[in-house]
């Protein structure tokens, strides 16, 4: 893979109008035994969803201060579900959980919730493929970190992993966005660059990107270089844009296209 890849904003060919929208949304509460509380989750089902069929799933993790409604409301998630015939799962990751099992906040166990409890719930209650080759996880900002962190540690559950504008080096920003309230001083256990060796010989398909005007661009470039140094296959792009929903609307389409290609290739094997 070439270093310093820069491409223009990519359109994946979303063509739809309000009259053609046929997807459906399910706003549910999923009980977390680890946290002893219900967690809001939005599930987006494609047009014609039926229990007689099986569907691939894409988990989308929101950013800092966000919630489970961010992706469905601020991107074309429903239309993408229709176009690619996939199920999206958007959990509430709390205001600033960073999707870790916090040593400081014992009641914050969002790593366990997303990687184990939520996956089990979705596979039990919806007609999904249950093998990792048909399950992907991605996210933006805090959620981009969370998706990579969860994906690296759960390669038996998520066969495809992504990040959009991810805060991948939490140590660098430990005094911001509530990070120090959930992560202790063992930063090497959380910085994605320090965890990257866990992807050596991985069978996971990895995609991540960042806007050239984003304040997270340098940590993402450093992660890209680390993966190159370790000879870990991945798809990395830099695009015009900053830390905004305009950028992420494009990114979720890019990631969905990438994941859907991998889903199809896995079915052919």
């Amino acid at each position: 893979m070439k270093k310093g890849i820069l491409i223009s904003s990519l359109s994946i060919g979303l063509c739809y109008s309000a009259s053609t929208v046929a997807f459906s949304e399910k706003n549910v509460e999923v009980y977390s035994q680890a946290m002893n509380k219900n967690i809001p989750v939005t599930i987006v089902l494609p047009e014609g969803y039926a229990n007689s069929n099986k569907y691939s799933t894409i988990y989308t993790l929101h950013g800092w201060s966000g919630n489970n409604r961010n992706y469905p409301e601020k991107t074309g998630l429903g239309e993408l579900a229709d176009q690619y015939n996939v199920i999206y799962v958007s959990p509430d990751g709390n205001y600033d959980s960073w999707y870790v099992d916090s040593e400081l906040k014992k009641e914050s166990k969002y790593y366990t919730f997303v990687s184990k409890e939520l996956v089990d719930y979705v596979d039990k209650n919806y007609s999904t493929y249950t093998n990792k080759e048909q399950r992907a996880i991605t996210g933006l900002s805090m959620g981009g970190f969370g998706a990579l962190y969860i994906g690296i540690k759960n390669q038996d559950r998520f066969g495809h992993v992504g990040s959009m504008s991810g805060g991948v080096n939490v140590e660098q920003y430990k005094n911001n966005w509530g990070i120090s309230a959930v992560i202790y001083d063992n930063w090497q256990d959380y910085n994605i660059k320090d965890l990257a060796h866990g992807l050596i010989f991985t069978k996971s398909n990895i995609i991540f990107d960042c806007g050239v005007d984003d304040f997270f661009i340098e940590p993402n470039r450093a992660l890209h270089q680390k993966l190159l140094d370790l000879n870990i296959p991945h798809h990395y792009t830099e695009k015009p844009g900053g830390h905004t929903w305009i950028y992420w609307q494009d990114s979720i389409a890019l990631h969905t296209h990438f994941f859907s290609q991998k889903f199809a290739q896995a079915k052919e094997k």
Side-chain angles (χ1 to χ4, degrees), residues 30 41 43 49 57 59 87 89 117-128 135:
V30 179
V41 178
I43 297 174
Y49 170 83
T57 50
Y59 288 71
I87 294 175
V89 182
E117 296 174 329
L118 183 56
V119 170
D120 291 344
Y121 172 88
V122 170
D123 288 348
K124 179 180 179 181
N125 290 276
Y126 295 89
S127 186
T128 61
R135 188 185 297 119

Side-chain angles (χ1 to χ4, degrees), residues 37-58:
K37 65 179 181 180
N38 290 322
I39 308 297
V41 178
T42 299
I43 297 174
V44 180
L45 304 174
E47 176 185 9
Y49 170 83
N51 289 330
S52 57
N53 297 326
K54 292 291 184 182
Y55 299 86
S56 305
T57 50
I58 300 175

Side-chain angles (χ1 to χ4, degrees), residues 109-262:
K109 304 290 184 184
Y110 285 88
Y111 167 84
T112 293
F113 175 69
V114 173
S115 64
K116 296 176 174 60
E117 296 174 329
L118 183 56
V119 170
D120 291 344
Y121 172 88
V122 170
D123 288 348
K124 179 180 179 181
N125 290 276
Y126 295 89
S127 186
T128 61
Y129 291 107
T130 58
N131 56 312
K132 67 176 184 178
E133 291 82 7
Q134 300 300 324
R135 188 185 297 119
I137 187 169
T138 189
L140 63 89
S141 194
M142 178 182 84
F145 161 82
L148 288 170
Y149 179 74
I150 290 170
I152 291 172
K153 290 179 170 291
N154 294 273
Q155 296 176 50
D156 59 332
R157 299 212 114 184
F158 296 96
H160 319 285
V161 183
S163 171
M164 314 169 198
S165 313
V168 295
N169 189 352
V170 288
E171 183 177 11
Q172 184 175 347
Y173 302 96
K174 60 185 177 182
N175 296 319
N176 302 95
W177 307 300
I179 294 173
S180 61
V182 293
I183 298 177
Y184 195 50
D185 61 356
N186 50 334
W187 299 105
Q188 69 279 2
D189 293 338
Y190 296 96
N191 294 325
I192 302 303
K193 190 168 67 170
D194 293 330
L195 297 174
H197 64 276
L199 292 169
I200 296 174
F201 304 123
T202 186
K203 294 183 179 179
S204 298
N205 295 296
I206 304 162
I207 180 173
F208 66 107
D209 62 88
C210 194
V212 294
D213 299 317
D214 197 303
F215 46 79
F216 282 148
I217 186 62
E218 292 305 329
N220 277 273
R221 286 172 174 168
L223 176 60
H224 168 53
Q225 185 59 54
K226 181 63 176 290
L227 295 180
L228 288 174
D229 293 342
L230 294 174
N231 292 316
I232 295 171
H234 63 286
H235 183 87
Y236 171 71
T237 57
E238 296 178 4
K239 300 177 294 179
H243 212 73
T244 68
W245 280 103
I246 292 175
Y247 179 90
W248 299 321
Q249 287 171 1
D250 186 68
S251 282
I252 187 59
L254 173 67
H255 285 220
T256 300
H257 183 71
F258 176 84
F259 293 146
S260 294
Q261 287 183 320
K262 302 305 180 183

